[in-house]
Amino acid sequence: MGLLGNKLNIKTYINTIRYYLKTEETEESSILELADNPDDTETFVSPFTGMQFALIPAGEFEMGSPLEEKDRSDSESPVHKVKINNSFYLGKSAVTQKQWKKIMGNNPSYCKGEDHPVEMISWNEAQEFVIKLNEMEGTDKYRLPSEAEWEYACRAGTQTRCFFGEDEAKLDEYVWHAGNSGDKTHVIGCKKPNPWGLYDINGNVWEWVQDEWHENYNGAPSDGSAWEDGSNSGKISRGCSWLCETGLCRSAGRFKRKTESRLANLGFRLLKEL
């Protein structure tokens, strides 16, 4: 075969590879848009960012993990009753890179993708985002959830190890973790949501909450408010990530972080007060 024929074959091969790579990239799409119903009064949409929020009803739950729970940590003790007095909106997903860029003007994320969760964000940077978003929309209702609010919303009325029950075989239907993520984040809303319409609540990226870290729940607030008594400079992330083994992907799982931590598996989800 002549030189021209070889060049054509190489060009065809390269174009074919590009086509399949592009196809793989576009196959993963969020189902948030499909799930969005303009007439749904239990969904709030941020007018500036398009961020979708699900209404979380007031109620009570048992926070933490019982001693017999598999893969538990002592920091999840003691189990204690928490009463959430006021309903609130919680982001259906973690804040995306597109939403972050619209407010902050940059994209620090390691795993790039507009509809992927933003990561490499410190706790203080998440707070800066909250301040700017509130200013943009002329409100003071956006904030990070407290740890109790986060767990309450994650459990969605359940008290089992995971919101879908005890059967780990179902984990892949709901969670991006070390066993199925391919070592990267994924587009929000590709997995099934929890019963209250929250996506990736136990995977994709860990999520900052408002509270300071405490080694256990002795003395924790019972009203769902953030525990900030100035006794610890560490903060808390909840929810597990694409880098985690399945044992961490539980409703009660929690992790201590330095305030300045910036990690490729650490982002945040916003709460909006009613």
Side-chain angles (χ1 to χ4, degrees):
M1 184 178 291
L3 182 60
L4 181 60
N6 283 333
K7 286 182 177 179
L8 287 174
N9 285 339
I10 291 171
K11 185 175 181 180
T12 301
Y13 174 76
I14 291 173
N15 286 338
T16 301
I17 293 298
R18 284 176 175 168
Y19 169 80
Y20 281 110
L21 286 175
K22 185 176 181 181
T23 300
E24 285 183 8
E25 290 173 357
T26 57
E27 274 178 355
E28 185 177 77
S29 58
S30 171
I31 58 176
L32 280 176
E33 292 303 320
L34 298 177
D36 185 30
N37 179 355
D39 299 321
D40 182 4
T41 58
E42 296 195 347
T43 296
F44 172 81
V45 180
S46 159
F48 191 78
T49 66
M51 199 181 305
Q52 295 184 35
F53 292 78
L55 182 63
I56 308 300
E60 297 181 354
F61 79 113
E62 297 289 328
M63 185 173 180
S65 62
L67 296 178
E68 66 273 15
E69 183 168 302
K70 181 183 176 184
D71 298 313
R72 71 178 300 279
S73 164
D74 287 342
S75 71
E76 301 161 14
S77 299
V79 174
H80 57 291
K81 181 175 287 187
V82 175
K83 185 176 182 179
I84 306 293
N85 291 308
N86 299 311
S87 300
F88 57 88
Y89 284 113
L90 191 65
K92 289 187 177 182
S93 73
V95 174
T96 67
Q97 294 172 34
K98 181 179 181 180
Q99 291 159 354
W100 174 272
K101 190 174 181 180
K102 194 159 189 180
I103 297 294
M104 305 297 285
N106 58 30
N107 184 4
S109 303
Y110 177 78
C111 302
K112 291 290 195 288
E114 281 201 339
D115 293 322
H116 290 232
V118 68
E119 13 90 0
M120 300 295 289
I121 300 300
S122 72
W123 187 88
N124 286 330
E125 287 166 337
Q127 299 291 348
E128 290 174 19
F129 180 93
V130 168
I131 291 170
K132 290 187 177 182
L133 177 57
N134 277 320
E135 289 175 351
M136 292 282 190
E137 297 193 4
T139 184
D140 60 358
K141 300 297 187 181
Y142 293 107
R143 59 175 173 84
L144 289 182
S146 70
E147 186 176 20
E149 289 167 335
W150 188 98
E151 186 172 324
Y152 174 69
C154 175
R155 288 187 179 279
T158 69
Q159 289 294 157
T160 47
R161 185 171 179 270
C162 301
F163 61 78
F164 53 80
E166 305 288 348
D167 185 4
E168 283 192 15
K170 294 182 178 179
L171 198 65
D172 284 356
E173 298 178 30
Y174 299 92
V175 178
W176 291 114
H177 55 81
N180 66 3
S181 68
D183 297 329
K184 61 182 180 180
T185 62
H186 289 263
V187 171
I188 59 165
C190 292
K191 297 288 188 179
K192 292 180 180 179
N194 80 349
W196 286 353
L198 305 176
Y199 294 83
D200 303 320
I201 193 74
N202 276 131
N204 221 2
V205 290
W206 286 96
E207 299 173 6
W208 287 114
V209 293
Q210 184 67 27
D211 308 45
E212 296 171 8
W213 172 262
H214 293 81
E215 294 298 329
N216 55 55
Y217 289 135
N218 289 318
S222 60
D223 62 356
S225 60
W227 194 3
E228 299 179 285
D229 57 10
S231 65
N232 199 312
S233 60
K235 299 296 181 182
I236 303 167
S237 65
R238 300 296 302 256
C240 206
S241 80
W242 60 267
L243 196 55
C244 294
E245 298 301 324
T246 56
L248 286 171
C249 301
R250 299 175 297 107
S251 296
R254 60 199 299 257
F255 206 87
K256 181 180 181 180
R257 304 284 183 189
K258 294 180 178 179
T259 307
E260 64 271 20
S261 292
R262 293 181 181 87
L263 301 168
N265 65 335
L266 177 58
F268 66 106
R269 181 186 305 252
L270 287 188
L271 180 148
K272 185 178 185 295
E273 297 174 352
L274 294 180

